[in-house]
Amino acid sequence: MATITIQIPDELAQRLEPLQNRLPELLWQLLEVTKKPTTIEPEVKTNTADIPAVYREVLDFLIETPTPQDIVSFKVSQNAQTRLQNLLDKNREATLTPMEIAELDVYEQLEHLMILLKARAYSAIQ
């Protein structure tokens, strides 16, 4: 995988910081959009269908205001676990596409978030 270094304004860097693990995916999407000739700016999609399924699962869980015990007990669906296992297998075989790399990054981010949430929830229970 190549590394690219660019200079950008500080304001843009701050806005991109939360998205840094998704930048490869976003750049692919930008390239797809720019293939089509257009005179208007592309529409920003806010449809939840654009959000990875595992992200929707976690968001749906969190929007229900779970108790600390619910958080400690939370697990993603079997479908999400199977998808993660498939991505990890492909990663070991070095056959991931750029979109799959971005998807695996999403799983990594969510795992980190859930570890932190579970640790805080467990502390609240004790």
Side-chain angles (χ1 to χ4, degrees):
M1 180 174 274
T3 300
I4 298 175
T5 304
I6 60 171
Q7 292 184 346
I8 57 174
D10 291 338
E11 181 182 337
L12 179 58
Q14 288 174 344
R15 291 183 66 190
L16 289 174
E17 187 173 321
L19 303 171
Q20 64 185 353
N21 290 332
R22 291 192 59 218
L23 286 177
E25 172 192 1
L26 295 171
L27 288 171
W28 275 109
Q29 290 176 0
L30 177 62
L31 289 173
E32 290 302 315
V33 168
T34 57
K35 279 185 184 178
K36 305 169 191 167
T38 181
T39 57
I40 59 172
E41 291 189 30
E43 180 181 323
V44 175
K45 296 179 180 177
T46 57
N47 185 344
T48 57
D50 298 333
I51 301 171
V54 69
Y55 238 116
R56 286 195 308 270
E57 276 188 41
V58 173
L59 290 173
D60 290 346
F61 169 71
L62 293 174
I63 204 160
E64 296 295 322
T65 59
T67 66
Q69 186 60 49
D70 293 336
I71 293 170
V72 169
S73 302
F74 177 77
K75 292 183 180 178
V76 294
S77 69
Q78 186 60 47
N79 285 345
Q81 292 177 36
T82 300
R83 178 62 180 156
L84 173 59
Q85 189 59 54
N86 291 339
L87 290 170
L88 291 172
D89 291 344
K90 288 184 79 172
N91 188 47
R92 276 190 288 280
E93 297 164 2
T95 59
L96 286 173
T97 68
M99 291 299 281
E100 289 170 329
I101 291 169
E103 185 179 357
L104 190 55
D105 285 344
V106 166
Y107 277 90
E108 183 180 348
Q109 291 170 23
L110 286 174
E111 179 185 26
H112 183 69
L113 172 69
M114 291 310 297
I115 288 169
L116 294 174
L117 278 172
K118 287 181 180 215
R120 294 288 300 264
Y122 186 75
S123 294
I125 293 171
Q126 298 300 314

